Structures are given as C-alpha cells and as structure tokens.
Amino acid sequence: MASLKSPPERERHDEPGPMVPEPFVVRSKRQDTSDTWTLELTSVADDAGLHFAPGQFTMIEAGGSGEVPISISGDPGEPDVLVHTVRSVGLATQAICKAQPGQVLGVRGPFGNSWPVELLEGRDVVVAAGGIGLAPLRPAILAMIANRERYGRLVLLYGARTASQMLYVDELERWREEGFEVHATVDSAGPEWLGHVGVVTRLIGRARLTASFAGLTCGPEIMMRLTALALADFGIDGEQLYVSTERNMQCGIGHCGHCQLGPWLLCRDGPVFDWQTLAHWLQLRDV
Amino acid sequence: MQALDELIAHVPTFAGLSEEQLKLIGGCGRNRHIGAGEMLFAEGDPADHFFLIRRGLVALEVHAPGRGPLRIETLEHGEVVGWSWLFAPYRWQLDARALEACELIEFDAACLRGKVAEDHELGYQLMSRFAANVISRLQATRFQLLDVYGKSEVTA
Amino acid sequence: MAELASCTLEREAFDSLFEALERRGYGVIGPRVRDGAIVYDRIAASSDLPVGLTDEQDGGHYRLVPREDAALFGYNVGPHSWKRFQLPAQRTLWRGKLDEDGNLSDIVEGPAEPERLAFLGARSCELHAMGILDRVLLGGSHPDPAERAAREGVFIVAVQCSQAGGTCFCASMGTGPTAQSGFDIALTEVIEDGRHYFVTAPGSDAGRELLAELPTSAAGAAEEGAASAAHARAAAQMGRELDITDIRELLYRNYDHPRWNEVAERCLTCGNCTMVCPTCFCTSVEDVTDLERTSVERVQRWDSCFTIDYSHIHGGAVRQSAHSRYRQWMTHKLATWIDQFGSSGCVGCGRCITWCPVGIDITEEARAIRASEEAVHAGAR
C-alpha cells in the first residue's frame, strides 16, 4: 500500500512515455531468404542507432499495420545503426519487410535482458541456432568475436530448413576465419547442397563438445527443447544453457500480460533465461 | 599403418568392445576409397557390407522420379553407414552416395553375420550398438518431420 | 490510525463533502445505479448515490433490492471497479500522421493531462486493488505516465464496509473489510436509534484539511463504538473464505490437477471475471487508421486471458483449451502474480464469482485442489 499515496517521483512530462515509438528511417535493405529481409535503420532525431546489449529486442512497426517484437541482430560494437532481420509471417512483419530505404518506421526500445556473453568469458561456448533464431544470436556471436581472446573454443551449430533459408551465408565463412567452428545443416536438400543434411541436434554429437562448454540457443521451442536434451548428454546441463524465449509480447515493458510463462513476464524478465529455470514451465502443457 | 581393429576401437559404435571382439570385426574389414558422387550402395541391392567413414561426407538419399535424389541425412567421419546388413531381408532401403572423396572401411557383412551366429555375445554387442544408432536417427527423423522452421517459428 | 481523531458527520450535512471536493476542483466519481447495478460514475450529490438499496450477491447472481433504511452505502461492490480510472478500458496511446508511402510522422502522445478526480466510496479491498495495479503499472522500470498522472491527483474517500456481500472474502485475503490506510478520508456509516451519521477519520493531511471544513463534531465513545461494531459485523458476515496458506506452492504443485478439467467443463471462457476484476490489467493494442491511411492512432483496450488470441504466437495459440485458460487466470491471480509483482493479485472482492454466468467460485476451486491433497495425505497415513 506504500505506493498508493506516494507514487514514484513524477517524470518530466515532455519525455515521451514508453509506449510511444520513435521515428527511425530505413537506410538500407537486403533480402536474406525468400521471406526474410535485413533492414538497417537510424533515428530520425539523431541519425544514430540504439545502444543495446546482445539479445535485446525492440517493438517495431511500419505504416500503421501494428507493432511486433523483433530482436536486434546488429553488432553491439557499432550502435550507429539499428539492424533487424525480419521474417514476413503476418501483417505487421509483412509491412516492415516491404519498407523501402527512406521509409520512416516506429521503434520502441531496446527492451529485455541479454545473452550473458561477459559472464561466459573464459569459457568454451556453443551457439545453437535454428532457422531465423540465428538473428538474435548474431550480436552475441559478434560480441564474442570482438573479444575472441577472452574465450576458449567457440562453436556455432546452425540448422535451417533448406540451404536457401539460411541466414548470413556470407558471414558464416568470415566467422569461421575469425575463430568460430561453424557447423551448418539443413533439414532437406537437393543435389546442389554439399553440406550436412539432418536436424541441428545431430551436429551436437559431431562438434566434440565437453562439459566445459556453456551454450546459447535460439530457435523454435521444440528445437531448443531437443537441443537441451542433446547437450545434457555431453555434460552441458540446463544451468549452463541459455535460451531466448518467445511469447506474444505486445508492450515490451511488462504491462500488457501477454507474454506470461508461469512466474515470468518474458519481455520484462527475459527474453533470455537459463534452461534450468524454464524447463519445468516449458514441459507443462499449454502454460 | 594402423591395424583396423585399433582404428575402429575409437569409433563410438565400437568403443568399449573387447580386444578380441574388435579383432573379429576388424578381420572382416578393408580400406576403401570412393570418389565424389560415387554410390556406396543403392536401394534394393543386397546389404552384404557396411561402412565406417574415416574421412569425407556421405549422403543417404531416396530417388523419386521427377524429383531426383532427396537427401535425407548426411554422415561424416566416425559414423557408420548402413544397418540393413544386420536385419533380414538384408537389403538396402536407401541410396548412399559420397558427396566428396571418402576414405572408408568396408566391412564384409556375410563374414560378420557368420561370426555373430557363432558368438552370441558379439551379436548382442553389435545389436545393441546398432539399435542405439537406429534410435538416435529415428529421433532425429521425427524431429525433421516436424518441419519446425516451416510454421511455428520465432519472430524474435 | 483510522480510529484516531475521529469525528461525526450527520447525514443531513453529507452534501458538504461534495461541496468541499468541488471547491478543490475535483470531479467526483462514486457509486450510482445504472442498468440494475451499482456502477462507478460521475456524481454530484448524495441523492445520486444508491440510497436505500442493497445488493444481493451469490455465484452468478446479482440483484439490487431495497433496504429497510435509507443508507447511502448499504451495499458492497458492483461490476465496476476503480481500475477503469487508473487504466481506462480504452485509450489512445498516441496519434501520428502517415504519408502515402507509409511514413510515420508527427507522433503525439495522448491523452492530455487528466482531470483531477475524487473517488468517493472506495472499499478496503478496492484500495488494495489500486495498490496492486500501481505496482504493475508504475512499479517497474517503465512506469506508465498516464496511469501515474491519473493516480497523482486522486483524492480518495473510503467507505468502511458495515456488512459483507454474499461473495466477499477479503478477510481471508488480508485486504479488509476495514481500510487501514491508502485513503484521504475514511467514513463509517451508522444508522441506529433514529440517527443516521458517519464516523469520519482522516488518512492524510489533505483529508484532515478537508474534514476541517465540514460541519463535524468530535466522535464520542458511543459513536466510535458503533463504528467498530459495524466493522466487526462485516468481518463476521464474510460470505466466503479462501485459505491462502502456501497457496503459490499449492497451485504450482497442481498444474496437472484433474480439477482444471472439471472447471473447464463449466467455464464459458467469456472473460467476465477478468473484466470485473479490479486488478486484471491485461491490454492489447490496435493500430487504427483512417480510410485514406493519412493518420494512425494506437488504441489500447482491456484484453482477457480467456480469449484464444491472447496467447497467440506464430503457429497458433499457446492456450487452446478452456482448461488452460482458466488455469492461467486463476494461477496468475493467486500464485504467479506473487512472483511477478510481489503480492497476490486477488483482493477477495468476490466480483469474479458474482459476475460469472455459471457461478464458478475461485474460493471453491482453490479449496477443491487443497482438499484433494489433504485427502491424499490422509490416505497415506
């Protein structure tokens, strides 16, 4: 009841509230796959991007078609531009993906917590990404590469549906040169694909992982569950595995209730959790 | 040059077998080189051998008329190609093709089946190890069937 | 504290309270009758109050019936709560312009500075509910500026319950029936021996100043005794009870309890409970554009965890079944809320029971789950 008669100190009312978007202009745009685009944006006000930590997201919208949570996929060391990789799956994401250079979009954020890249310094780290789940992991990968000497082995396991659905194909080779062991696989392939075919968890057995590793994973929930199981076989338990979660985030600030998972508001308390913390709640049905 | 029984002792499928058992299995094997694009075996052929990959990448494929080869899975060094040799009617259910030049050990299945018939302990060991391979690939296949990247996808 | 420095205000002089509030520029919101129910809306005088009425409440049942006296506050809570003034059922978050290429510009936050309001007739459970909503909307790192502006100026006249409704269970939730703090003035209505008066107590300096302007007299022992008796009567009449001992752990242990299936067979997933609940805070937003798409406004509306869309993610809704949606609501109120916001989300007002079309009773559901565990333990002995 203490808050009742003594609400928090009044903020300056000329500061916009947390639900008000800031105009950002599309600087460039690149098509990654048949349904996924990467946009680079800068603020109309100061021609800069956003300072963010790897794993954080923004709420973004185009042309009055509704707002969606999208992870930031840029380089945290280069906050002069805001980078988002967006898959066109609904009305709002379709409008964002259609935006052309020069178009002004609305952005709120950044929101949420981040991948524990600093906590993991001194460790071996395996990054397991499924599909567009590589986008939220890209800032963590770039942050670890920027401080390559602070980590032991760095391993990326990346699974996609097909070769043409793989993100950042040009970059995978560069990451390899910069100290990541990169293993990629696709669920199905034609004769033109000369890499691995099979699900991403099959890569775990091939990457010579040990209990010294910590993991970061992002992808469809089923993929992350199976990844957690497979990593446990190599002694990497749930406390050493960090996942990025998804529910129906609508406000980004813990006010709208939509992204609840049991005791957590994923937008406020996440999106990054250690697997141990979440496993019980994800195993319950329909929570 | 290393003897085959020493080579296979470090492969997950054979790890933990006794020296004697490794010698029996190694005795049925020979080194083989296969060029990129060549077939290891084809669907419907008698399964009278199987392979251990020492180097290279092998794909398991199904050929569908009009659609060409559909690649189901790939296998790499340290992994065993083929289990149909251990189960009647001993026929391959898939095509196996080398995606790059491969160094393989080819095992003579008829030879090994003969030894297993006499030595049930060896038979049990091989059965449980190949069953574990079957299970892990079945689980992977079920996961593959879910096509998780297709529909239920993270936006984040 | 409420018992200290109390005064009496006669019924005949009650409208002086309205006058004092108006002099200070408050718009007064309080109980009045509309469409057969007591709602919270603008009122100007005591004659606007539900004089001489009470509310009969039970699971799925609400009727206004006449009282034998002319009490001004002789009822409990109706379908409205003060939530609608903290977090409006619909509001515009911002407006902006769109050009033909879909570019967004001229974003203006709305609405403007709110009117200063006085809440007249807030009950103890409702004061607790306001505090809970404050923690949700103001307690985090991104406080809601509109809610804060709405809350900062509010003057609260609490009314102590002198009777409990048929679905009330605030006593067991520790939220009532007597308000101890969180108000500017608290009133206890007394009608006895032909006299109708209010025992008043200030809860803030602003309340003390305002009371000083009213034609009150110091309360004597008899009058204070009558007020205390009224409070005790309400506590004793409490229609229902919810045992909150380790309630979070109890529910966390029972996500797979068969009781959820049983309640799901009755639950219509209509969301009434969430609309009437004074703490349910869920909202959704929609972008509304004009026909030519030259302007856009983002509108926020109350949402309910009982809708399928509520838990939508790509690929479908997480909570497809009535079972999972009722479980989400009840475990949120009584268990996960504690982890999320540091207190229960339930204040025991009983609205969800009264306004459930099929009379689902949260106290009964919690009791059934607890009883089944006790039966198992008893069986084990």
Side-chain angles (χ1 to χ4, degrees), chain A residues 1 4-5, chain C residues 2 7 9 13-22 24 26-31 40-41 43 46 49 72-73 75 77 82 85 116-128 130 151 153-161 177-189 198-212 214 216:
Chain A
M1 295 301 293
L4 196 62
K5 297 308 292 181
Chain C
C7 295
L9 176 69
F14 190 80
D15 280 279
S16 63
L17 176 60
F18 283 91
E19 289 154 19
L21 289 170
E22 275 160 28
R24 283 167 165 71
Y26 288 111
V28 182
I29 306 292
Y40 295 144
D41 204 345
I43 54 174
S46 62
L49 293 165
L72 303 185
F73 300 99
Y75 40 84
V77 295
W82 304 100
F85 305 100
R116 271 156 55 96
L117 294 178
F119 295 165
L120 172 59
R123 308 299 176 127
S124 180
C125 61
E126 300 187 304
L127 300 177
H128 282 269
M130 288 181 214
R151 290 288 285 127
V154 166
F155 189 93
I156 295 176
V157 181
V159 166
Q160 306 288 21
C161 291
T178 307
Q180 307 293 340
S181 63
F183 51 79
D184 294 292
I185 297 174
L187 307 174
T188 304
E189 185 171 32
F198 296 84
V199 177
T200 69
S204 71
D205 290 341
R208 194 167 288 112
E209 282 167 30
L210 190 139
L211 275 177
L214 305 186
T216 57

Side-chain angles (χ1 to χ4, degrees), chain C residues 140-286:
Chain C
S141 49
H142 300 281
D144 178 336
E147 136 86 342
R148 182 163 49 207
R151 290 288 285 127
E152 273 177 343
V154 166
F155 189 93
I156 295 176
V157 181
V159 166
Q160 306 288 21
C161 291
S162 54
Q163 64 180 46
T167 55
C168 291
F169 58 101
C170 65
S172 59
M173 299 306 293
T175 56
T178 307
Q180 307 293 340
S181 63
F183 51 79
D184 294 292
I185 297 174
L187 307 174
T188 304
E189 185 171 32
V190 180
I191 304 178
E192 107 196 322
D193 305 329
R195 185 178 166 210
H196 186 174
Y197 63 98
F198 296 84
V199 177
T200 69
S204 71
D205 290 341
R208 194 167 288 112
E209 282 167 30
L210 190 139
L211 275 177
E213 294 171 23
L214 305 186
T216 57
S217 336
E223 289 153 333
E224 287 187 345
S228 298
H231 304 163
R233 188 163 64 240
Q237 276 179 359
M238 204 57 55
R240 278 166 163 83
E241 191 185 345
L242 200 161
D243 180 359
I244 55 170
T245 316
D246 296 328
I247 185 85
R248 173 176 56 171
E249 291 68 25
L250 174 76
L251 294 178
Y252 280 5
R253 282 196 300 272
N254 285 288
Y255 265 68
D256 292 324
H257 198 282
R259 184 76 188 187
W260 302 117
N261 281 330
E262 292 167 34
V263 69
E265 283 175 16
R266 300 167 60 209
C267 178
L268 309 175
T269 66
C270 67
N272 267 14
C273 49
T274 58
M275 296 293 110
V276 296
C277 178
T279 66
C280 270
F281 60 84
C282 290
T283 52
S284 60
V285 290
E286 188 185 1

Side-chain angles (χ1 to χ4, degrees), chain A residues 224-260:
Chain A
M224 295 196 289
R225 280 205 322 252
L226 296 173
T227 297
L229 280 175
L231 288 175
D233 289 345
F234 292 86
I236 304 161
D237 64 26
E239 287 170 23
Q240 303 303 323
L241 175 63
Y242 296 86
V243 301
S244 182
T245 51
E246 189 218 8
R247 281 291 185 272
N248 184 7
M249 295 158 182
Q250 291 197 2
C251 70
I253 56 177
H255 289 186
C256 82
H258 285 266
C259 65
Q260 286 177 71

